[in-house]
PDB file of all heavy atoms in Angstrom:
ATOM      1  N   GLY L  93     257.115 130.533  23.624  1.00 81.00           N
ATOM      2  CA  GLY L  93     258.401 131.202  23.432  1.00 81.00           C
ATOM      3  C   GLY L  93     259.258 130.336  22.533  1.00 81.00           C
ATOM      4  O   GLY L  93     258.844 129.255  22.116  1.00 81.00           O
ATOM      5  N   ASP L  94     260.465 130.791  22.237  1.00 80.00           N
ATOM      6  CA  ASP L  94     261.313 129.972  21.374  1.00 80.00           C
ATOM      7  C   ASP L  94     262.133 128.968  22.192  1.00 80.00           C
ATOM      8  O   ASP L  94     262.825 128.126  21.633  1.00 80.00           O
ATOM      9  CB  ASP L  94     262.239 130.857  20.525  1.00 80.00           C
ATOM     10  CG  ASP L  94     262.904 131.924  21.371  1.00 80.00           C
ATOM     11  OD1 ASP L  94     262.672 131.938  22.597  1.00 80.00           O
ATOM     12  OD2 ASP L  94     263.656 132.741  20.813  1.00 80.00           O
ATOM     13  N   ASP L  95     262.012 129.039  23.524  1.00 82.00           N
ATOM     14  CA  ASP L  95     262.784 128.148  24.368  1.00 82.00           C
ATOM     15  C   ASP L  95     261.870 127.045  24.907  1.00 82.00           C
ATOM     16  O   ASP L  95     261.034 127.270  25.778  1.00 82.00           O
ATOM     17  CB  ASP L  95     263.377 128.957  25.526  1.00 82.00           C
ATOM     18  CG  ASP L  95     264.201 128.073  26.471  1.00 82.00           C
ATOM     19  OD1 ASP L  95     264.229 126.841  26.258  1.00 82.00           O
ATOM     20  OD2 ASP L  95     264.806 128.629  27.397  1.00 82.00           O
ATOM     21  N   LEU L  96     262.014 125.865  24.358  1.00 80.00           N
ATOM     22  CA  LEU L  96     261.145 124.748  24.736  1.00 80.00           C
ATOM     23  C   LEU L  96     261.229 124.468  26.222  1.00 80.00           C
ATOM     24  O   LEU L  96     260.219 124.255  26.895  1.00 80.00           O
ATOM     25  CB  LEU L  96     261.538 123.491  23.942  1.00 80.00           C
ATOM     26  CG  LEU L  96     260.741 122.236  24.288  1.00 80.00           C
ATOM     27  CD1 LEU L  96     259.274 122.416  23.949  1.00 80.00           C
ATOM     28  CD2 LEU L  96     261.299 121.012  23.566  1.00 80.00           C
ATOM     29  N   TYR L  97     262.431 124.487  26.740  1.00 82.00           N
ATOM     30  CA  TYR L  97     262.662 124.206  28.155  1.00 82.00           C
ATOM     31  C   TYR L  97     261.875 125.185  29.036  1.00 82.00           C
ATOM     32  O   TYR L  97     261.152 124.792  29.949  1.00 82.00           O
ATOM     33  CB  TYR L  97     264.163 124.316  28.420  1.00 82.00           C
ATOM     34  CG  TYR L  97     264.598 124.145  29.844  1.00 82.00           C
ATOM     35  CD1 TYR L  97     264.652 122.868  30.422  1.00 82.00           C
ATOM     36  CD2 TYR L  97     264.971 125.235  30.615  1.00 82.00           C
ATOM     37  CE1 TYR L  97     265.085 122.712  31.729  1.00 82.00           C
ATOM     38  CE2 TYR L  97     265.396 125.083  31.922  1.00 82.00           C
ATOM     39  CZ  TYR L  97     265.454 123.819  32.483  1.00 82.00           C
ATOM     40  OH  TYR L  97     265.865 123.655  33.772  1.00 82.00           O
ATOM     41  N   ALA L  98     261.971 126.467  28.728  1.00 85.00           N
ATOM     42  CA  ALA L  98     261.274 127.478  29.521  1.00 85.00           C
ATOM     43  C   ALA L  98     259.761 127.370  29.354  1.00 85.00           C
ATOM     44  O   ALA L  98     258.997 127.519  30.312  1.00 85.00           O
ATOM     45  CB  ALA L  98     261.753 128.877  29.116  1.00 85.00           C
ATOM     46  N   THR L  99     259.326 127.108  28.118  1.00 85.00           N
ATOM     47  CA  THR L  99     257.894 127.001  27.872  1.00 85.00           C
ATOM     48  C   THR L  99     257.312 125.804  28.619  1.00 85.00           C
ATOM     49  O   THR L  99     256.246 125.891  29.233  1.00 85.00           O
ATOM     50  CB  THR L  99     257.623 126.850  26.363  1.00 85.00           C
ATOM     51  OG1 THR L  99     258.209 127.959  25.692  1.00 85.00           O
ATOM     52  CG2 THR L  99     256.137 126.819  26.094  1.00 85.00           C
ATOM     53  N   LEU L 100     258.031 124.715  28.577  1.00 84.00           N
ATOM     54  CA  LEU L 100     257.593 123.529  29.318  1.00 84.00           C
ATOM     55  C   LEU L 100     257.506 123.855  30.802  1.00 84.00           C
ATOM     56  O   LEU L 100     256.553 123.482  31.485  1.00 84.00           O
ATOM     57  CB  LEU L 100     258.577 122.382  29.070  1.00 84.00           C
ATOM     58  CG  LEU L 100     258.328 121.100  29.849  1.00 84.00           C
ATOM     59  CD1 LEU L 100     256.934 120.568  29.592  1.00 84.00           C
ATOM     60  CD2 LEU L 100     259.363 120.037  29.476  1.00 84.00           C
ATOM     61  N   GLY L 101     258.473 124.595  31.303  1.00 85.00           N
ATOM     62  CA  GLY L 101     258.463 124.993  32.706  1.00 85.00           C
ATOM     63  C   GLY L 101     257.227 125.807  33.044  1.00 85.00           C
ATOM     64  O   GLY L 101     256.556 125.553  34.028  1.00 85.00           O
ATOM     65  N   ARG L 102     256.901 126.760  32.184  1.00 88.00           N
ATOM     66  CA  ARG L 102     255.718 127.587  32.433  1.00 88.00           C
ATOM     67  C   ARG L 102     254.443 126.765  32.353  1.00 88.00           C
ATOM     68  O   ARG L 102     253.504 126.970  33.115  1.00 88.00           O
ATOM     69  CB  ARG L 102     255.686 128.758  31.444  1.00 88.00           C
ATOM     70  CG  ARG L 102     256.112 130.079  32.092  1.00 88.00           C
ATOM     71  CD  ARG L 102     256.155 131.213  31.092  1.00 88.00           C
ATOM     72  NE  ARG L 102     257.356 131.142  30.263  1.00 88.00           N
ATOM     73  CZ  ARG L 102     257.377 131.266  28.945  1.00 88.00           C
ATOM     74  NH1 ARG L 102     256.254 131.490  28.286  1.00 88.00           N
ATOM     75  NH2 ARG L 102     258.514 131.169  28.286  1.00 88.00           N
ATOM     76  N   ALA L 103     254.422 125.830  31.423  1.00 87.00           N
ATOM     77  CA  ALA L 103     253.232 124.984  31.283  1.00 87.00           C
ATOM     78  C   ALA L 103     253.017 124.165  32.548  1.00 87.00           C
ATOM     79  O   ALA L 103     251.910 124.099  33.086  1.00 87.00           O
ATOM     80  CB  ALA L 103     253.399 124.050  30.078  1.00 87.00           C
ATOM     81  N   VAL L 104     254.077 123.552  33.024  1.00 87.00           N
ATOM     82  CA  VAL L 104     253.965 122.740  34.226  1.00 87.00           C
ATOM     83  C   VAL L 104     253.523 123.597  35.406  1.00 87.00           C
ATOM     84  O   VAL L 104     252.756 123.165  36.254  1.00 87.00           O
ATOM     85  CB  VAL L 104     255.299 122.035  34.514  1.00 87.00           C
ATOM     86  CG1 VAL L 104     255.317 121.452  35.912  1.00 87.00           C
ATOM     87  CG2 VAL L 104     255.538 120.934  33.488  1.00 87.00           C
ATOM     88  N   GLY L 105     253.993 124.839  35.427  1.00 85.00           N
ATOM     89  CA  GLY L 105     253.612 125.740  36.496  1.00 85.00           C
ATOM     90  C   GLY L 105     252.127 126.035  36.529  1.00 85.00           C
ATOM     91  O   GLY L 105     251.583 126.362  37.576  1.00 85.00           O
ATOM     92  N   SER L 106     251.476 125.914  35.394  1.00 85.00           N
ATOM     93  CA  SER L 106     250.044 126.214  35.407  1.00 85.00           C
ATOM     94  C   SER L 106     249.186 124.951  35.477  1.00 85.00           C
ATOM     95  O   SER L 106     247.976 125.017  35.360  1.00 85.00           O
ATOM     96  CB  SER L 106     249.670 127.062  34.186  1.00 85.00           C
ATOM     97  OG  SER L 106     250.347 126.631  33.046  1.00 85.00           O
ATOM     98  N   LEU L 107     249.836 123.834  35.711  1.00 86.00           N
ATOM     99  CA  LEU L 107     249.099 122.587  35.886  1.00 86.00           C
ATOM    100  C   LEU L 107     248.906 122.308  37.381  1.00 86.00           C
ATOM    101  O   LEU L 107     249.745 122.680  38.184  1.00 86.00           O
ATOM    102  CB  LEU L 107     249.928 121.445  35.282  1.00 86.00           C
ATOM    103  CG  LEU L 107     249.452 120.705  34.034  1.00 86.00           C
ATOM    104  CD1 LEU L 107     248.683 121.579  33.093  1.00 86.00           C
ATOM    105  CD2 LEU L 107     250.636 120.084  33.321  1.00 86.00           C
ATOM    106  N   PRO L 108     247.815 121.672  37.761  1.00 80.00           N
ATOM    107  CA  PRO L 108     247.639 121.342  39.171  1.00 80.00           C
ATOM    108  C   PRO L 108     248.549 120.169  39.527  1.00 80.00           C
ATOM    109  O   PRO L 108     248.958 119.439  38.626  1.00 80.00           O
ATOM    110  CB  PRO L 108     246.170 120.935  39.247  1.00 80.00           C
ATOM    111  CG  PRO L 108     245.835 120.418  37.874  1.00 80.00           C
ATOM    112  CD  PRO L 108     246.723 121.155  36.934  1.00 80.00           C
ATOM    113  N   PRO L 109     248.880 119.865  40.754  1.00 79.00           N
ATOM    114  CA  PRO L 109     248.490 120.679  41.905  1.00 79.00           C
ATOM    115  C   PRO L 109     249.375 121.897  42.023  1.00 79.00           C
ATOM    116  O   PRO L 109     250.569 121.821  41.764  1.00 79.00           O
ATOM    117  CB  PRO L 109     248.736 119.734  43.090  1.00 79.00           C
ATOM    118  CG  PRO L 109     249.849 118.851  42.631  1.00 79.00           C
ATOM    119  CD  PRO L 109     249.700 118.709  41.154  1.00 79.00           C
ATOM    120  N   THR L 110     248.774 123.023  42.400  1.00 74.00           N
ATOM    121  CA  THR L 110     249.540 124.245  42.571  1.00 74.00           C
ATOM    122  C   THR L 110     250.159 124.243  43.965  1.00 74.00           C
ATOM    123  O   THR L 110     249.449 124.216  44.954  1.00 74.00           O
ATOM    124  CB  THR L 110     248.628 125.475  42.409  1.00 74.00           C
ATOM    125  OG1 THR L 110     247.736 125.222  41.335  1.00 74.00           O
ATOM    126  CG2 THR L 110     249.447 126.717  42.123  1.00 74.00           C
ATOM    127  N   ALA L 111     251.457 124.238  44.014  1.00 71.00           N
ATOM    128  CA  ALA L 111     252.137 124.236  45.307  1.00 71.00           C
ATOM    129  C   ALA L 111     252.339 125.678  45.762  1.00 71.00           C
ATOM    130  O   ALA L 111     252.376 126.597  44.949  1.00 71.00           O
ATOM    131  CB  ALA L 111     253.473 123.521  45.182  1.00 71.00           C
ATOM    132  N   ALA L 112     252.465 125.852  47.057  1.00 70.00           N
ATOM    133  CA  ALA L 112     252.655 127.195  47.612  1.00 70.00           C
ATOM    134  C   ALA L 112     254.029 127.733  47.218  1.00 70.00           C
ATOM    135  O   ALA L 112     254.977 126.964  47.056  1.00 70.00           O
ATOM    136  CB  ALA L 112     252.516 127.150  49.125  1.00 70.00           C
TER     137      ALA L 112
END
Side-chain angles (χ1 to χ4, degrees):
Chain L
D94 47 2
D95 180 356
L96 178 63
Y97 176 76
T99 303
L100 176 57
R102 256 177 283 133
V104 167
S106 40
L107 247 33
T110 320

